[in-house]
Structures are given as C-alpha cells and as structure tokens.
C-alpha cells in the first residue's frame, strides 16, 4: 500500500512507504545498510541533513559577526535575538531539513534554500527588518567551503581520532605485553634474524604516531571572500571596512578553520587534499598491519577466541577464519581509493570555478565511513587474539641457521679468515642446521675458549638484538 503526504504549500509528494523502506536491507551502500550501526555517528557530520545544519550554522554565525562588527544597520539585533538565531542550528530538526528540501524543489539551489529558510525563521523571531543581511555579499561557496571543512574537522575530532587512538593504544598494549617474546623474523618470506614480537607491534605504533602528528598539524582550510574571492560586493557596500581582517577573524576565531587568503570562487583544496592523503597513508599502514596479523594467524602464532554460535565456513566446521582483519583490509582499501580521488581531483578546477568539486565533496563522509568500519574490525579482531607462544618457539628451534649471522660477525671481529664463507658452507650444504651441528662447528673453530663460549650463548631465542627486554 502506498501512503502519501502532500506538502501544504509546494505540492511535494512524499511516500512514507518509500521513506520507511530505506533500511539496512534496502540501502545501496553497505555504509548505510549492513554497517549502519558502525557508521551512524558519521551521519551527524556528513549526511544531507548534517550538511544543511552546518550551512545554517555558518550563515547564522556570519550574520551575528556582522552584527558584532558592527554594521550600522544591524545594531538593533540585540544579544537575545542573536541567541535565538543560534537555536536554528543547535535545535535543528528533521522537519526543518524537510522544509528546506521543499524550498529547494522550487529554487533548485540548495544554499539558496537555506537562506530562505533562515529568513522565514527571522520573520517568526521578529527580525524581518534585518533578514537581507543573511548571506550578505556571499556566494554559495563561501558557505559550502566553510561548512564542509568544519564538518570534516569536527568528525575527525569527535569520531575518527577516538577510533584510531583506540586501535593505536591496543597495538601499544600488545607491544608492551609481548616485549620479551622472541620470534623468528621473515624477510622475503624466509627465516631471518630473530626479533621480538612486541617490537614488531611497536613498529606500527611509531608509524601511526608520526602520521597522526602530521594529520593533527594540518590546518583545515576554508574559503570566504565573495563571488571570486575579492570581496567585491562587500567592498562596494562598505568600502571603509577591512573585510579581509573581518573574514580572517570570522573563519579563524568563530569557525576554528584556516582561511585561505587568495582564492577563486572556491577553496583551492590543497590542504584538504593533504588531509585526505594523510588519512590514506594511515589506512595503508593499517592494511600492512592487518596483513601481518593475518599471516601470523595462518602460521599459528596467534589463535582466535571462539564466539558461541559463530560459523567459520559453511562447509568446513573446524574453521575459525581471520575475518575481522580481512574486513579491515578490504574497507581500508575502498577508503584509500576514494581518498586518492578526493586529493587528486579537488585541487583542480577550470579557471575561477567549475562544479566538479561540488558533487565530489558530498562524498567526503564515504571514505571516512569505510575507515571507521575497518578500525572497528581491527579492534574486534585484536580482541580475539590469543598468543600461541609454543608455535613461536617451535619455529625458532627449527631454524638454528639464523644464528649464522651472529657467529660470522663475531668471527670477523676476531680476525678469523673468511668467516662468512665458512658459515655459508655450513648453512647451505646441510639440509637441516640444528643446535648440535652449530655446536660441533663452534668446537672445531680455531678460536679461544672465551670466544667459543660467546658463540655457544647464541641461540634463535636469545639472538634478538637490543629489544629483548625493552619496555
């Protein structure tokens, strides 16, 4: 059955049936469907309704800033009325958003619809005499190029950073917990000089810390300067006002963004591209991490906690698959591809403006949603990990050849002739180098007993370098 409502003023038909059918089974994107529970917080920043709210916030705060300048025509807007205006975005409702979409169906312009809604509200607040100073001297990009960066900045601070810090801190906890667990390293997939499990986790902590520091240091950019960035209309109306200084204060102090000083009609997006590139690098690091953990699980270095009722394979009952790390890798990959498009496309615009940035910017929340899904999957996967120290020790004991590096290096120090070649002959001609064969080799060396004792102390479990007991 189709149930419809007609708008009392604009004749817009809205199907309740269609509206209610958009759920986790009918959404086209898994971001709004299968993974909605994970990503729903991002709707507060990147949904259409959120974008409208951010636009209203910029328009209202701009109007209030004009009152505080003050423009002589606005001195009658008392502080109480300014506070009332702020409720237009602090108490923004779905009904307000629907009203804007009704207006937009007539204007065919989303920012103009926001302006008209605010003017309607000003009539209700007794501010009709001042409503032509809403959107005064601005073009739509002065609103979009502040609203969207502001939503990104706040989404980073309130959603992304807590999620990535949780992952980073979990990895750091493992690094500390396993700081004394020796592990066979593998370079080119082959046994190599032993390492420490905790140190291998610490590698990722350092990589993440460096990239997060870079990300936090990047200024979130904004454009605010009129139709082509020159304050033409502002200057024509009030030539004595320093509009550049005003805009810098407004964007920097009120919105907390960094105003680009020289722009066309739109922000040039170079810093925004840097943010997306940085987010992509972080995701790349975590793809590397997810693949490493996946491989360690396949090598039985880790087992996974089993959750009652879960099925690993529809055909093989014994399987406990590393699905969380696979999910993370896949979603980080999607996010990275979109971040790359954003950073490559947004800084390029024909002359003073084309519209390609507009449709692309509507997708800023999409890669962040995939990153968030991946981060949550990593946490879920890491919480299942159970260290299987026996498997690590077994691999170490089976690969005594890895101490050859240490032996030949000590022999070099002692001036022993051709030590590398001697160890090469031992380790490459024997099909299986054991502790016994290494001990026999050491005993036959023409070196002092003290040096032999030093060499005998080397084993795959002790030959781990300087990180053996580091906290």
């Amino acid at each position: 059955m189709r149930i419809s409502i007609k708008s009392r003023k604009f004749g817009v038909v809205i199907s309740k049936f269609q509206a209610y059918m958009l759920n986790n089974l009918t959404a086209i994107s898994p971001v709004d469907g299968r993974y909605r529970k994970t990503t729903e917080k991002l709707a507060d920043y990147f949904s259409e309704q959120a974008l409208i709210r951010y636009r209203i916030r910029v328009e209202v705060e701009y109007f209030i800033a004009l009152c505080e300048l003050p423009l002589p025509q606005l001195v009658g807007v008392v502080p109480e009325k300014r506070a009332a205006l702020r409720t237009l975005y602090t108490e923004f409702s779905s009904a307000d958003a629907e009203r804007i979409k009704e207006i937009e169906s007539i204007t065919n312009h989303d920012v103009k619809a926001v302006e008209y809604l605010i003017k309607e509200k000003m009539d209700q607040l007794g501010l009709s005499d001042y409503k032509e100073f809403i959107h005064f001297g601005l073009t739509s990009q002065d609103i979009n190029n502040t609203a969207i960066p502001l939503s990104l900045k706040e989404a980073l601070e309130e959603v992304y950073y807590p999620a990535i810090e949780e992952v980073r801190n979990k990895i750091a906890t493992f690094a500390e917990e396993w700081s004394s667990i020796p592990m066979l390293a593998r370079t080119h997939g082959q046994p190599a000089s032993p390492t420490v499990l905790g140190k291998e986790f610490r590698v990722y902590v350092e990589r993440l810390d460096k990239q997060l520091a870079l990300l936090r240091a990047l200024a979130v950019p904004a454009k605010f300067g009129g139709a082509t960035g020159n304050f033409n209309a502002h200057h024509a109306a009030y030539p004595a006002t320093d509009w550049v200084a005003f805009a810098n204060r407004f964007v920097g102090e009120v919105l907390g963004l960094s105003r680009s000083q020289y722009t066309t009609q739109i922000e040039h997006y170079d810093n925004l591209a840097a943010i997306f590139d940085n987010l992509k690098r972080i995701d790349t690091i975590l793809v590397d991490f997810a693949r490493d953990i996946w491989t360690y699980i396949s090598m039985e270095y880790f087992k996974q906690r089993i959750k009652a009722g879960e099925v690993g394979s529809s055909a093989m009952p014994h399987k406990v698959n590393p699905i969380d790390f696979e999910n993370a890798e896949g979603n980080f990959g999607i996010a990275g591809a979109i971040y790359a498009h954003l950073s490559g496309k947004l800084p390029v615009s024909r002359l003073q403006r084309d519209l390609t940035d507009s449709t692309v910017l509507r997708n800023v929340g999409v890669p962040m949603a995939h990153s968030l899904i991946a981060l949550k999957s990593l946490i879920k996967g890491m919480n299942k990990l159970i260290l299987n120290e026996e498997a690590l020790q077994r691999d170490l004991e089976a690969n005594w050849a890895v101490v050859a590096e240490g032996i030949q290096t000590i022999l070099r120090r002692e001036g022993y002739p051709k030590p590398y070649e001697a160890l090469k002959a031992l380790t490459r001609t024997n099909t299986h180098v054991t502790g016994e064969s290494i001990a026999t080799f050491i005993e036959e060396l023409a070196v002092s007993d003290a040096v032999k004792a030093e060499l005998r102390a080397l084993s795959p479990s002790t030959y781990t370098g300087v990180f053996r007991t580091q906290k």
Side-chain angles (χ1 to χ4, degrees):
M1 182 179 68
R2 182 183 178 91
I3 306 171
S4 300
I5 300 176
K6 283 193 175 182
S7 165
R8 63 184 181 277
K9 190 171 182 180
F10 291 96
V12 176
V13 177
I14 302 171
S15 167
K16 281 187 176 180
F17 179 78
Q18 290 173 329
Y20 293 158
M21 282 303 292
L22 181 60
N23 57 36
N24 62 353
L25 294 176
T26 61
I28 293 174
S29 166
V31 163
D32 290 314
R34 183 178 182 87
Y35 302 118
R36 178 69 180 186
K37 190 173 181 180
T38 301
T39 62
E40 61 185 349
K41 182 61 179 173
L42 290 175
D44 293 339
Y45 307 91
F46 299 119
S47 65
E48 180 77 1
Q49 183 165 310
L51 176 57
I52 294 169
R53 187 182 71 252
Y54 274 101
R55 284 167 169 163
I56 292 174
R57 178 174 164 185
V58 173
E59 292 275 18
V60 166
E61 291 297 340
Y62 170 63
F63 177 82
I64 292 172
L66 292 176
C67 295
E68 294 172 347
L69 189 55
L71 290 185
Q73 288 82 359
L74 299 178
V75 293
V77 184
V78 296
E80 291 77 11
K81 293 293 186 180
R82 300 174 196 174
L85 277 171
R86 286 194 167 104
T87 66
L88 299 188
Y89 66 85
T90 60
E91 300 176 15
F92 185 70
S93 68
S94 296
D96 293 328
E98 289 172 4
R99 174 61 183 143
I100 284 181
K101 298 311 287 185
E102 289 178 351
I103 299 171
E104 186 184 341
S105 71
I106 304 301
T107 64
N108 197 30
H109 196 289
D110 47 6
V111 176
K112 202 67 179 175
V114 167
E115 177 187 343
Y116 286 162
L117 174 80
I118 296 172
K119 288 178 175 179
E120 284 183 1
K121 297 286 188 178
M122 291 180 78
D123 287 337
Q124 298 168 17
L125 292 171
L127 293 171
S128 300
D129 292 343
Y130 310 103
K131 63 185 183 182
E132 289 310 318
F133 282 88
I134 292 294
H135 205 70
F136 179 78
L138 301 182
T139 186
S140 59
Q141 286 309 103
D142 293 312
I143 304 304
N144 289 332
N145 285 170
T146 46
I148 292 172
L150 184 56
S151 69
L152 174 61
K153 179 176 183 284
E154 293 184 347
L156 287 170
E157 292 171 349
E158 297 166 22
V159 180
Y160 180 79
Y161 285 133
I164 188 69
E165 289 291 348
E166 184 182 10
V167 168
R168 180 262 178 215
N169 291 340
K170 186 66 175 179
I171 298 172
T173 297
F174 284 149
E176 180 71 17
E177 183 179 345
W178 298 327
S179 62
S180 297
I181 305 296
M183 180 181 78
L184 184 70
R186 293 181 184 271
T187 57
H188 308 280
Q190 306 302 308
S193 299
T195 184
V196 176
L197 179 59
K199 174 257 174 177
E200 298 309 312
F201 277 74
R202 194 168 282 111
V203 167
Y204 288 100
V205 175
E206 181 177 61
R207 293 174 70 184
L208 289 173
D209 284 347
K210 287 182 177 180
Q211 292 306 316
L212 285 170
L214 288 172
L215 181 59
R216 289 182 185 276
L218 285 168
V220 182
K223 177 264 177 182
F224 201 83
T228 55
N230 306 316
F231 295 102
N232 303 54
H234 292 79
H235 183 69
Y238 295 96
T241 299
D242 187 342
W243 288 108
V244 172
F246 167 84
N248 288 340
R249 285 195 305 273
F250 172 65
V251 172
E253 297 174 17
V254 176
L255 302 181
L257 302 172
S258 177
R259 180 177 172 270
S260 297
Q261 300 300 300
Y262 300 97
T263 69
T264 59
Q265 187 176 97
I266 62 173
E267 162 64 28
H268 43 66
Y269 301 121
D270 296 337
N271 259 42
L272 212 58
I275 291 170
F276 295 137
D277 284 337
N278 213 145
L279 289 167
K280 180 177 180 291
R281 282 198 302 276
I282 291 170
D283 285 0
T284 298
I285 290 168
L286 291 174
V287 166
D288 197 19
F289 175 76
R291 288 179 179 175
D292 274 2
I293 302 302
W294 187 97
T295 305
Y296 291 144
I297 291 171
S298 76
M299 295 161 61
E300 299 185 341
Y301 285 5
F302 294 112
K303 295 183 182 295
Q304 298 177 93
R305 288 183 177 85
I306 299 172
K307 185 176 180 181
E310 282 192 352
V311 175
S313 167
S314 62
M316 295 172 281
H318 68 283
K319 297 198 74 179
V320 183
N321 297 327
I323 56 174
D324 300 303
F325 299 100
E326 294 167 343
N327 179 289
E329 180 181 342
N331 277 287
F332 281 136
I334 294 172
I338 301 174
Y339 285 137
H341 179 68
L342 290 170
S343 66
K345 186 273 147 299
L346 286 173
V348 180
S349 181
R350 295 169 183 85
L351 303 180
Q352 280 68 52
R353 200 270 151 98
D354 68 40
L355 253 174
T356 54
D357 66 313
S358 180
T359 188
V360 170
L361 281 171
R362 291 180 181 275
N363 292 279
V364 168
V366 176
M368 190 168 290
H370 283 286
S371 291
L372 186 61
I373 293 165
L375 291 170
K376 297 300 183 183
S377 292
L378 277 187
I379 284 293
K380 186 178 178 183
M382 286 191 285
N383 284 334
K384 293 180 183 177
L385 293 180
I386 302 171
L387 177 63
N388 183 13
E389 197 169 348
E390 181 183 342
L392 277 76
Q393 193 59 45
R394 182 180 63 233
D395 268 8
L396 287 165
E397 190 61 29
N399 286 278
W400 270 82
V402 295
V403 302
E405 178 198 36
I407 294 172
Q408 65 95 6
T409 302
I410 292 173
L411 292 178
R412 283 173 184 261
R413 182 196 69 196
E414 296 298 313
Y416 193 88
K418 297 186 176 180
Y420 176 88
E421 288 73 16
L423 270 297
K424 179 181 175 183
L426 169 68
T427 56
R428 287 200 175 188
T429 55
N430 290 334
T431 56
H432 183 57
V433 178
T434 64
E436 290 75 14
S437 60
I438 289 289
T440 299
F441 174 82
I442 292 171
E443 287 305 315
E444 294 174 352
L445 291 171
V447 295
S448 68
D449 289 342
V451 172
K452 287 182 180 180
E454 189 178 359
L455 296 176
R456 282 195 294 268
L458 298 178
S459 75
S461 294
T462 61
Y463 182 57
T464 55
V466 299
F467 291 106
R468 168 82 175 148
T469 57
Q470 178 173 321
K471 295 294 184 182

